[in-house]
Amino acid sequence: MTEDSEFEELQRLKREIHFHNYRYYVLDAPIISDYEYDRLMQRLKEIEARHPEWITPDSPSQRVGAAAAEKFVKVRHPAPILSLGNAYGVDELKAWIERLIRLDERVRYADFVVEPKIDGLTVVLTYRDGVFVQGATRGDGEVGEDITANLRTIRALPLRIPVDPEGPQPPGFLVVRGEAFMYIRDFEALNQRLEEVGERTYLNPRNTAAGSLRQLDPALTASRPLTLLTYAIVAADGPTPQTQWELLQYLRRLGLPVSSDVEYCANLDEVLAAVERWWVKRDTLPYEADGIVIKINDLKLAAELGFVGKDPRGALAFKFPAREVTTRLIDIGVNVGRTGVLTPYAILEPVEIGGVVVRQATLHNFDYIKEKDIRIGDRVLVKRAGEVIPYVIGPVVEARTGDEKEFIPPATCPACGQPVEHLEGEVAWYCVNLACPAQLVRNLEHFVSRGAMDIVGLGIKIVEQLVESGLVKSPADLYTLTKEALLKLEGFADKKAENLLQAIEASKSRPLARLINALGIRGVGEVMAADLARVFPDLETLSRATVETLMTIEGVGPNTAQSIVDWFARPGNREFIQRLKQLGVWPVSRMEEEEKERPKPLAGLTFVVTGTLPSFTREGIKEFIQQQGGKVTDSVSKNTSYLVAGEAAGSKLDKARQLGVPVIDEAGFMALVGQRSK
Ligand code: IVH
């Protein structure tokens, strides 16, 4: 092969590899196999090895090459890298437009572009004659840091444009702005890998992306699954499009990655409709967005509107309510649950998250505190999203002062002072003292609750009184209470005592399923209790069942079966069952009644469905809702419990908003079913 033809082959390989990179990392639609790709890359490297003088910075072989740097070099941006004004609701959005119209009548007839506001790190990319020559952070907007070597490792970033030789020729000098970030699934996979090798995990995709780019070793950046989306031109020495919408298409045709979630809106009404859609769409995005950016499409008009400080008037960040905030971890408390499980919880400096003041958050378990190295006094990141209980994601290590204290799990139960125990292979620590007052209170609370013995009027206050006074040491003691005894308690008069005794008496006729649920066996909830009641005629028979027998029942796995057997094996519990029998709390299984006990998670709720859902057909979801005990109607009214909205939801969404009916997407709906079936 002659040198000339080898040089030509090299050029062709570079083009092809750039193109396949683009198909794979930008479009997510590769057209060759990994194997074929590797072959091309191998061939490129062979030629480059023979002719090192031919290696150029835009070669796909040169993504990771640079050695770790000592420090970042400062670079001045060719034009200020601006930020955006914020709006925190539709009213503020409308006020923005009204202000602009007063400033310039043309805004009344303006069209817009709506883009996701991706939560990552702003980057400024310089191309000279189509070659990526420099990448920088935003810095203070005037001067940023040169992170070229790190950015080169991002596969979605084209080292040469246009990627497709048929594409438009960019101006000789072109500076684009974009956001480097990480997809949620890549972030989770990364954290899982780190956890497996016992390394510190990251807090969220944003911090991970920023941290990976602002460190000095490109090899480390290369190992992080970063990606990129671009959305603006900062400077160019040739003509560029006059509208934002055309500009996005232009960037895309150059081979720069552009979000596929961008939307064109012909007027303000369409913007408002887009905002509604995004409100729901937010939770289904594969990346984290803290809002959407609304931009006046006409770039000349936008520029003429000028600035307020560093914020251009022609664009606005519409922020979603925050879901993650930082606050101080004042202390760690420990709760004792019904089954004796000790669970730590965070006592926080009160902080508002999405309109709710949060003072406490879950810390899951003691292992979690240790794994995340959460210390008392830390600034911690707290998340509250959708239906879940607020939880602590982890500490902000950079904010440590040295005064933080390590948390040591208690060796004894905080409620009764007895030593706690740990079961091999389980994360939980237990207080195994059956007489532990904390457990007793929880146990009783559960025993009398609606899905269990349903003793009306026996709330947490009275439960605590009964335990504190020593009148009740076991749920069975409820059935021995007398009027005289109750009258000695604070707040009890004749009527109240009589009513309570009557309610307790009435609970004796609850079906077996309710009583099984009331026992509070670990792993046995309402659904399983109903299943057990259909198989076993009474508690005595159930108490003699073996693990093997139990496992033949649908839904009963080895852990639950063992937990049931263990429960009945404890002497205290045997005694408890015998006492219930003596006291006449002894329902026997009656088929029809037990059948009715099977709870329907959506009972009492009315749904309206609109738009296209990812995994249900319209008929499918209706049937599912009905099976789960819910009702489906066609139009939204104030009696609608939830609007389930999918893609392209229309006027029903507006109606729901007007009436304040909660709107959930499919994921939110499934979470609701899951939560209510517990
Ligand atoms: S436009 C004049 N568009 O949000 C142009 N910003 O302060 C101003 N961001 O950190 C920015 N996605 O990097 C724009 N589609 C998008 C964006 C976006 C994310 C970031 C931006 C900056 C912040 C706005």
Side-chain angles (χ1 to χ4, degrees):
M1 195 187 275
T2 68
E3 274 217 348
D4 273 1
S5 64
E6 199 166 27
F7 186 75
E8 259 166 43
E9 185 189 354
L10 179 69
Q11 302 315 312
R12 206 197 62 234
L13 282 166
K14 277 161 66 169
R15 265 201 316 275
E16 278 186 26
I17 296 172
H18 278 314
F19 177 70
H20 292 304
N21 259 334
Y22 174 74
R23 298 285 323 182
Y24 187 92
Y25 291 102
V26 178
L27 300 183
D28 203 6
I31 48 175
I32 58 171
S33 66
D34 289 4
Y35 174 76
E36 288 167 294
Y37 178 87
D38 290 344
R39 286 284 297 269
L40 293 174
M41 198 64 166
Q42 209 179 344
R43 179 74 190 132
L44 173 93
K45 285 183 177 164
E46 270 166 33
I47 300 177
E48 287 184 340
R50 266 200 301 281
H51 297 280
E53 73 279 10
W54 287 349
I55 301 178
T56 57
D58 71 324
S59 167
S61 67
Q62 300 300 300
R63 287 215 178 250
V64 202
E70 297 269 302
K71 68 177 189 40
F72 292 122
V73 176
K74 301 263 187 244
V75 288
R76 180 163 288 278
H77 300 304
I81 302 304
L82 305 163
S83 57
L84 287 175
N86 293 324
Y88 289 94
V90 173
D91 290 347
E92 289 182 29
L93 163 59
K94 288 180 179 159
W96 169 64
I97 289 291
E98 277 156 25
R99 263 196 321 274
L100 291 186
I101 293 176
R102 278 199 297 277
L103 215 63
D104 191 324
E105 258 301 303
R106 287 178 294 170
V107 176
R108 199 184 288 282
Y109 312 101
D111 53 354
F112 302 85
V113 174
V114 171
E115 302 171 10
K117 185 171 177 320
I118 291 169
D119 212 2
L121 185 75
T122 301
V123 294
V124 182
L125 313 169
T126 305
Y127 286 85
R128 280 193 194 274
D129 299 323
V131 178
F132 173 63
V133 291
Q134 188 180 71
T137 62
R138 176 170 186 269
D140 62 4
E142 304 284 337
V143 175
E145 284 175 329
D146 187 330
I147 52 166
T148 313
N150 288 344
L151 286 170
R152 292 179 67 86
T153 68
I154 299 181
R155 296 299 201 274
L157 186 156
L159 296 176
R160 167 180 277 283
I161 49 174
V163 170
D164 176 355
E166 314 271 276
Q169 273 311 310
F173 176 68
L174 178 71
V175 183
V176 298
R177 176 173 177 172
E179 202 78 5
F181 67 101
M182 216 174 261
Y183 284 106
I184 296 169
R185 70 174 131 82
D186 290 338
F187 164 75
E188 284 171 353
L190 170 68
N191 256 357
Q192 185 155 9
R193 276 206 307 279
L194 291 173
E195 203 172 306
E196 275 162 18
V197 297
E199 275 188 52
R200 231 201 132 75
T201 53
Y202 286 98
L203 290 182
N204 56 29
R206 204 209 100 80
N207 286 16
T208 320
S212 308
L213 283 167
R214 299 232 304 270
Q215 57 80 42
L216 292 160
D217 183 4
L220 190 112
T221 313
S223 71
R224 299 285 181 255
L226 291 163
T227 188
L228 173 81
L229 287 173
T230 59
Y231 52 77
I233 291 179
V234 175
D237 67 353
T240 52
Q242 296 296 300
T243 68
Q244 176 65 11
W245 188 245
E246 283 162 353
L247 184 133
L248 294 173
Q249 322 303 323
Y250 175 70
L251 293 176
R252 204 176 265 149
R253 272 187 291 129
L254 287 174
L256 286 155
V258 171
S259 169
S260 51
D261 293 317
V262 294
E263 294 180 42
Y264 173 80
C265 297
N267 51 46
L268 181 61
D269 282 342
E270 289 191 17
V271 172
L272 293 172
V275 167
E276 296 287 344
R277 280 195 301 278
W278 274 94
W279 205 267
V280 179
K281 191 170 169 177
R282 173 187 192 186
D283 293 307
T284 62
L285 294 173
Y287 48 82
E288 282 191 345
D290 58 344
I292 49 182
V293 185
I294 300 161
K295 300 177 178 176
I296 289 190
N297 192 29
D298 181 342
L299 293 172
K300 191 157 160 285
L301 171 57
E304 283 169 14
L305 290 168
F307 306 89
V308 193
K310 280 189 175 178
D311 306 336
R313 285 207 178 87
L316 182 76
F318 183 95
K319 297 290 266 297
F320 299 139
R323 284 168 176 188
E324 283 180 27
V325 300
T326 67
T327 186
R328 216 173 71 84
L329 175 64
I330 301 173
D331 204 354
I332 294 177
V334 177
N335 251 325
V336 187
R338 173 159 64 79
T339 52
V341 182
L342 269 55
T343 30
Y345 62 94
I347 302 167
L348 303 168
E349 206 156 86
V351 63
E352 199 201 293
I353 317 181
V356 173
V357 177
V358 175
R359 291 161 208 282
Q360 290 190 358
T362 172
L363 284 161
H364 304 298
N365 54 57
F366 296 124
D367 282 4
Y368 185 79
I369 299 176
K370 199 162 164 206
E371 269 159 28
K372 302 276 171 186
D373 186 23
I374 297 167
R375 304 181 193 173
I376 295 167
D378 262 334
R379 275 209 87 73
V380 287
L381 194 59
V382 181
K383 181 159 188 164
R384 176 182 165 269
E387 313 258 351
V388 300
I389 303 168
Y391 67 96
V392 174
I393 300 180
V396 183
V397 178
E398 299 75 34
R400 284 205 173 135
T401 62
D403 293 337
E404 296 75 17
K405 284 197 206 63
E406 197 188 323
F407 170 75
I408 299 159
T412 57
C413 169
C416 70
Q418 296 286 310
V420 296
E421 278 181 24
H422 187 215
L423 299 179
E424 192 61 39
E426 267 193 47
V427 286
W429 284 82
Y430 291 94
C431 167
V432 290
N433 172 19
L434 285 172
C436 171
Q439 280 184 66
L440 183 54
V441 168
R442 299 275 134 67
N443 254 317
L444 275 167
E445 244 187 304
H446 173 70
F447 190 87
V448 306
S449 67
R450 248 187 32 197
M453 299 304 270
D454 194 12
I455 303 181
V456 189
L458 222 179
I460 174 74
K461 263 273 164 46
I462 300 178
V463 165
E464 276 168 357
Q465 269 183 308
L466 292 173
V467 172
E468 263 164 43
S469 65
L471 281 177
V472 172
K473 295 194 175 66
S474 144
D477 293 337
L478 290 172
Y479 298 94
T480 63
L481 287 173
T482 61
K483 191 168 163 188
E484 295 71 55
L486 285 177
L487 287 174
K488 290 200 190 99
L489 298 178
E490 207 189 301
F492 270 89
D494 267 9
K495 192 76 193 144
K496 188 168 167 183
E498 275 164 23
N499 285 347
L500 182 58
L501 289 174
Q502 220 165 33
I504 292 173
E505 189 60 29
S507 75
K508 287 182 178 171
S509 59
R510 303 278 175 257
L512 179 60
R514 298 290 198 96
L515 180 58
I516 296 175
N517 179 31
L519 299 178
I521 302 170
R522 209 182 314 149
V524 181
E526 276 182 71
V527 176
M528 193 171 298
D531 290 340
L532 291 171
R534 261 177 286 151
V535 177
F536 298 96
D538 59 25
L539 279 189
E540 230 151 39
T541 341
L542 176 60
S543 78
R544 286 195 299 266
T546 61
V547 170
E548 290 71 34
T549 320
L550 288 165
M551 277 175 64
T552 61
I553 299 165
E554 180 154 338
V556 181
N559 290 338
T560 308
Q562 190 62 53
S563 146
I564 296 170
V565 169
D566 289 350
W567 195 92
F568 284 104
R570 269 184 228 132
N573 291 336
R574 284 176 180 282
E575 205 181 301
F576 172 46
I577 299 294
Q578 283 317 308
R579 282 196 63 209
L580 285 177
K581 190 173 187 182
Q582 283 155 16
L583 291 162
V585 191
W586 202 250
V588 290
S589 185
R590 279 183 306 268
M591 264 322 186
E592 328 76 73
E593 246 181 88
E594 304 306 341
E595 190 60 47
K596 268 190 277 164
E597 287 309 306
R598 194 168 223 293
K600 303 255 162 124
L602 302 182
L605 298 183
T606 306
F607 292 83
V608 176
V609 185
T610 181
T612 315
L613 299 173
S615 42
F616 278 106
T617 62
R618 188 57 66 82
E619 277 315 304
I621 189 154
K622 280 187 180 167
E623 205 172 294
F624 182 72
I625 291 172
Q626 282 157 1
Q627 269 169 15
Q628 302 299 315
K631 246 176 72 183
V632 185
T633 61
D634 281 330
S635 57
V636 178
S637 77
K638 64 180 196 320
N639 297 326
T640 310
S641 317
Y642 290 94
L643 176 69
V644 185
E647 274 287 314
S651 61
K652 287 181 185 168
L653 202 52
D654 300 335
K655 190 77 191 283
R657 290 260 173 257
Q658 266 170 30
L659 295 172
V661 170
V663 178
I664 51 179
D665 63 0
E666 185 181 297
F669 170 73
M670 292 316 292
L672 183 73
V673 179
Q675 191 194 337
R676 289 179 59 102
S677 58
K678 273 192 201 132

